[in-house]
Amino acid sequence: MRAHARLEVAADRDRSGRVRTRISRLRSDAPLVLRPTAAVEPTGRWNPHGAAHVALAAAAAGPIGGDHLRLDVEVAAGAALVVRSVAATLVLPGPHGRPSRTETHLRVAPAGTLVWLPEPVIAAGRCDHHATTRIDLEPGARLLAREELLLGRHGETPGTVHQRLRVTLAGRPLHDQEFAVGPDVPGWHGPAVTGGHRALGTLLVITPDARPADPTPTSTGADTAVMRLTPTATLLTVLADDALTLRRHLDRGMTGPPADCDTQRGSGLPEPAETHMPKGRVTSGN
């Protein structure tokens, strides 16, 4: 099965002069089904004012071996978008032994905000899955992106998963990470990779503000690492024994920006007369 879904949002001003985000294009392609939803506040305070909220649902099982699924998301200047998925993604083996593939391409224009919060990917036994996520940011863009991977269902030996995350800022590479886990990868459960853990996750926070605060995870029940990619970009990596512990530690990094963050600041849209702009600072920690 091949599918290609697309989502685009743009920024407009309402009658009061505040910026609101509207969905300018929404194209589903089963099994990738996109649905506008009511505002659901993300964990922590990443809840941009006037943001559009969209849920990604699966209209069929999988991806299954042989499937090739692609999702493109574009956030225009000054717009804000929160994307969630309805449920975890269970990657399954196919009948012909071919790998499955997913491609996700996220683009955020200047002063745009994207909160990307998919549910975990579960690598079922005997699967062979290749996942690529590419994020292209323009100067002034804000990003919160969470990725979680669970190695098999309860008591199950996982399949093989290859993941790559590539991030560019103003057309220049910012972060490019690739890893592989599973029975076909030598040493995948060793201390240099998973250390025997069955849940892996990352949280990437990028803001236009200098020196955002660090996420503040604790180390109890999970191995965590905080890496400063640039003065405005932070990567939190977590290894845990289960999905609940993993999510709890990733959530500790989601404490900014301020809940009253107004997307009209720096949106590139004409400023209404006599409008007072809040001076909230976007951070990635407490």
Side-chain angles (χ1 to χ4, degrees), residues 30 64 248:
I64 298 173
R248 183 170 66 250

Side-chain angles (χ1 to χ4, degrees), residues 4-286:
H4 184 186
R6 188 172 185 87
L7 170 64
E8 298 177 8
V9 296
D12 288 328
R13 291 193 182 277
D14 60 21
R15 293 181 179 180
S16 66
R18 305 196 74 178
V19 172
R20 298 285 181 178
T21 298
R22 61 178 174 83
I23 298 173
S24 56
R25 183 176 182 183
L26 190 150
R27 179 183 182 274
S28 298
D29 191 5
L32 300 176
V33 178
L34 298 164
R35 291 289 183 265
T37 65
V40 177
E41 184 174 358
T43 304
R45 302 180 66 195
W46 275 84
N47 191 27
H49 169 77
H53 292 251
V54 175
L56 176 62
I64 298 173
D67 289 352
H68 188 170
L69 311 180
R70 176 172 174 174
L71 173 64
D72 291 333
V73 177
E74 186 164 347
V75 180
L81 173 66
V82 179
V83 179
R84 294 177 175 271
S85 56
V86 173
T89 298
L90 179 61
V91 182
L92 298 167
H96 306 296
R98 292 181 296 175
S100 57
R101 299 182 184 277
T102 58
E103 297 180 40
T104 305
H105 190 185
L106 312 176
R107 297 176 59 90
V108 187
T113 300
L114 174 61
V115 180
W116 177 254
L117 299 173
E119 291 300 309
V121 173
I122 304 173
R126 299 183 296 106
C127 75
D128 182 7
H129 185 60
H130 297 251
T132 301
T133 301
R134 177 172 177 175
I135 305 175
D136 294 325
L137 306 174
E138 295 298 326
R142 293 177 172 87
L143 173 74
L144 176 75
R146 182 185 70 201
E147 290 194 340
E148 298 169 295
L149 174 63
L150 306 182
L151 301 181
R153 294 165 287 192
H154 180 71
E156 179 182 49
T157 300
T160 300
V161 176
H162 299 259
Q163 284 192 342
R164 183 180 183 185
L165 172 63
R166 176 176 172 80
V167 184
T168 65
L169 178 60
R172 302 183 64 179
L174 175 65
H175 177 64
D176 195 346
Q177 182 179 33
E178 186 172 5
F179 74 95
V181 294
D184 296 337
V185 182
W188 68 276
H189 48 51
V193 186
T194 65
H197 296 89
R198 295 181 61 88
L200 302 78
T202 59
L203 183 72
L204 179 61
V205 179
I206 300 176
T207 77
D209 300 304
R211 302 293 303 174
D214 284 318
T216 55
T218 63
S219 58
T220 303
D223 290 334
T224 64
V226 178
M227 180 181 297
R228 180 80 67 187
L229 304 177
T230 71
T232 61
T234 303
L235 178 68
L236 170 65
T237 303
V238 179
L239 299 176
D241 294 326
D242 56 76
L244 291 177
T245 304
L246 176 68
R247 178 65 62 85
R248 183 170 66 250
H249 284 265
L250 290 173
D251 283 350
R252 291 180 182 271
M254 297 171 59
T255 56
D260 60 353
C261 177
D262 195 327
T263 56
Q264 75 180 9
R265 178 174 179 244
S267 66
L269 298 175
E271 291 291 341
E274 299 181 1
T275 297
H276 174 71
M277 300 306 303
K279 298 181 179 179
R281 182 172 183 270
V282 180
T283 65
S284 61
N286 289 325

